[in-house]
């Protein structure tokens, strides 16, 4: 399941597929606010998304409108710390303070 904020209401929505769920779990673990769109139920939309990004698979992660990658890329970026770095650089997450209290 995936949580989305819409105003002040939280609601649950089923996430299709294991790869989509994996990306959702990564985003939850980073505590980044996110939203998702189900493109799997509409073949035309699904193919349009693939064509738009020039990427053959779903899910696709976009940060501030820029395509980042699919599940494999997002997972690798998460594991090696690049995803958090990107989220901080884009202003989506705050940098964690260092030992001297600075970001």
């Amino acid at each position: 399941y995936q949580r989305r904020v819409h105003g002040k209401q939280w609601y649950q929505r089923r996430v299709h597929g294991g790869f989509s769920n994996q990306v959702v779990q990564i985003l939850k673990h980073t505590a980044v606010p996110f939203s998702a769109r189900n493109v799997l139920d509409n073949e035309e939309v699904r193919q349009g998304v693939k064509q738009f990004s020039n990427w053959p698979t779903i899910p696709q992660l976009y940060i501030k409108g820029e395509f980042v990658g699919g599940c494999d890329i997002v997972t690798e970026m998460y594991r090696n710390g690049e995803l958090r770095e990107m989220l901080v650089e884009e202003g989506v997450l705050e940098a964690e303070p260092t030992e001297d209290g600075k970001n």
Side-chain angles (χ1 to χ4, degrees):
Y1 289 89
Q2 158 193 357
R3 294 185 307 178
R4 285 186 46 193
V5 177
H6 195 68
K8 293 185 178 182
Q9 295 179 336
W10 286 89
Y11 64 94
Q12 299 286 328
R13 192 171 78 122
R14 181 162 172 73
V15 176
H16 294 276
F19 295 119
S20 296
N21 186 49
Q22 183 170 332
V23 172
V24 165
Q25 295 308 312
I26 287 170
L27 295 174
K28 283 181 177 181
H29 191 263
T30 62
V32 63
F34 68 94
S35 64
R37 304 294 179 264
N38 179 3
V39 301
L40 299 178
D41 288 342
N42 184 314
E43 184 64 27
E44 186 177 334
V45 172
R46 180 186 337 186
Q47 294 308 317
V49 167
K50 291 177 181 183
Q51 185 177 10
F52 175 79
S53 65
N54 197 28
W55 193 256
T57 60
I58 304 292
Q60 297 181 1
L61 178 65
Y62 291 79
I63 297 176
K64 291 196 167 182
E66 295 295 320
F67 177 65
V68 175
C71 183
D72 290 347
I73 290 172
V74 171
T75 300
E76 180 62 27
M77 289 177 71
Y78 171 72
R79 288 180 179 152
N80 67 24
E82 290 178 21
L83 182 61
R84 179 168 285 282
E85 286 178 23
M86 178 182 282
L87 293 167
V88 169
E89 287 173 8
E90 293 295 329
V92 178
L93 285 179
E94 290 191 27
E96 295 178 357
T98 58
E99 290 181 20
D100 60 6
K102 297 179 182 177
N103 288 349

